[in-house]
Amino acid sequence: MSGSTDRLRDEFEACFGGLAAIGRDPAGGWTRLAWTDEDRQARAWFESEAAARGLAVDRDPAGNLWAWWGPDAAAGGVVAVGSHLDTVRGGGAYDGALGVVSGLLAVGQLIERGVEPARPVAVVAFADEEGGRFGVPTFGSRLLTGALDPEDVLERADQDGVTVARAMAAAGIEPGEVGPDPARVGRLGAFVELHVEQGRGLVDLGRPVALGTDIWPHGRWRLTLTGEANHAGTTRLADRRDPMLGLAAAVLAARAAATELGAVATVGRVVVGPNSANSVPGRVSAWLDARAEQDQTLDWLVAAFQAAVEDAAGRNGLAVELACESRSPAVELDQDLTARVYACLRADGLEPAALPTAAGHDAGALAAAVPTAMLFVRNPTGTSHSPTETAELDDCLAGVRALAAVVEELACR
Ligand SMILES: [Zn+2]
């Protein structure tokens, strides 16, 4: 093994380990929700890792952090790489983190080799990608490009009633300043997000790295079923208006529709009132997360879900409310940029596979405004949003080298 490989290995372990030390959840895994103390520590980690490589950091009005290398950003044609620092509750160490760490190390590699950038390069850490606290995924990237209106999101509250505006203010960002940055977006020439794979595609292909082809359309819907809370012993079955029965039918209907349509559907969060073991519940709220290959298929899935819920509500005397909380259309990554990245990686001796993804990403938000590509790194367990999400060190290093080759190709020639 060469000395430079050893050095990169040590550097990766130190850099990745620094971030992985933040937000260890006593309940298991990692929890770094947006604008919490863990998030603040992760941002401080990013600033110090950037500074260690001589990169100046600034923050855009959507709360994202940018570490700069090379010519002044005003020159335009900025080549940006990066991902996000936040996690879901009890998530894994790699989702988001791997892309940010790889971006910093890729630029560090080029600096070390004495490569001169002809265009500005930025490593970006996007804010609140997961939406784990306020239910608004890809918050920072969509706010940045103008796809999200601050008016629509600043008053959203977390489970404790703290609004986005208050949480951002506590992190030092004035709510009045929060918004898009069209000038910054206009200066971007390309965005490449490296991400740990969230499935077993690369394991099956026996390859360490893939290029993304497209991102499935996906969305979240909030279902509220209202019946009547009552005594679990004295209320006759015939007299009950039990919203839990409606929810049970809804969950099974989502699964059946997803199976039939080759899609995926999940009910992973439920709020029950009064949430008492000896009461018939009065109200149940649940969140449907649904993703499909085509927008139309996703529409069919939600329509099937809604029909089943209304049917169950009719039989059980329930009121139904189904509201779409977020919806992201299908995203095709930029073909020309992807072809260029593919050619560059092949020339570098790395033949990447090609994979679509059913997960949302900041790259999906950026793709609407900037030529965007994605790289995936193999994940042996195929799990994500779970502490068992992982990647082999050698594969991570292959990802860093791939990203360095891409930045060199796009910004240094
Ligand atoms: Zn992610």
Side-chain angles (χ1 to χ4, degrees), residues 339-354:
R340 206 170 152 199
V341 169
Y342 179 72
C344 147
L345 296 183
R346 276 200 74 180
D348 224 49
L350 186 80
E351 181 113 4

Side-chain angles (χ1 to χ4, degrees), residues 96-405:
L98 185 62
V100 176
V101 166
S102 298
L104 290 166
L105 293 192
V107 169
Q109 288 280 297
L110 296 174
I111 294 171
E112 205 175 297
R113 280 173 31 212
V115 175
E116 287 290 335
R119 278 166 290 284
V121 174
V123 182
V124 196
F126 284 107
D128 196 2
E129 191 273 346
E130 300 287 5
R133 183 172 176 193
F134 299 101
V136 186
T138 53
F139 176 91
S141 48
R142 286 193 293 148
L143 205 56
L144 172 73
T145 60
L148 207 58
D149 186 338
E151 301 251 303
D152 291 341
V153 289
L154 282 172
E155 292 310 313
R156 285 274 199 126
D158 67 7
Q159 290 179 7
D160 300 322
V162 178
T163 62
V164 174
R166 235 178 86 197
M168 287 181 84
I173 304 175
E174 278 309 309
E177 293 168 11
V178 173
D181 191 342
R184 186 181 293 250
V185 173
R187 288 194 291 268
L188 292 174
F191 175 63
V192 181
E193 179 170 6
L194 178 148
H195 203 280
V196 69
E197 198 203 335
Q198 294 166 293
R200 290 174 49 88
L202 281 168
V203 174
D204 292 345
L205 292 165
R207 311 272 272 283
V209 175
L211 264 168
T213 52
D214 49 39
I215 301 175
W216 281 20
H218 56 277
R220 271 183 214 178
W221 288 262
R222 188 185 68 242
L223 169 67
T224 305
L225 292 163
T226 309
E228 187 181 26
N230 214 329
H231 195 287
T234 59
T235 316
R236 295 189 310 163
L237 292 181
D239 294 338
R240 295 184 184 200
R241 292 168 52 214
D242 183 348
M244 193 63 84
L245 297 177
L247 176 64
V251 172
L252 293 174
R255 173 61 178 244
T259 305
E260 197 168 309
L261 295 166
V264 288
T266 308
V267 176
R269 183 177 170 209
V270 173
V271 175
V272 181
N275 205 20
S276 146
N278 56 0
S279 299
V280 177
R283 178 193 283 247
V284 174
S285 295
W287 280 259
L288 170 72
D289 176 304
R291 302 155 194 248
E293 200 171 346
Q294 316 261 332
D295 282 299
Q296 171 122 66
T297 320
L298 186 56
D299 290 339
W300 292 343
L301 194 160
V302 176
F305 179 76
Q306 181 160 13
V309 167
E310 281 169 0
D311 175 59
R315 281 183 281 111
N316 292 286
L318 310 172
V320 181
E321 199 191 318
L322 185 63
C324 181
E325 286 199 334
S326 73
R327 167 103 191 220
S328 305
V331 174
E332 266 206 43
L333 297 165
D334 189 84
Q335 290 189 4
D336 291 344
L337 177 64
T338 300
R340 206 170 152 199
V341 169
Y342 179 72
C344 147
L345 296 183
R346 276 200 74 180
D348 224 49
L350 186 80
E351 181 113 4
L355 283 180
T357 176
H361 294 291
D362 293 310
L366 269 286
V370 181
T372 295
M374 284 198 80
L375 291 170
F376 293 107
V377 170
R378 176 164 51 191
N379 172 355
T381 63
T383 59
S384 186
H385 289 183
S386 149
T388 57
E389 162 192 288
T390 189
E392 300 283 346
L393 180 55
D394 281 339
D395 289 355
C396 294
L397 301 185
V400 172
R401 286 196 200 92
L403 199 57

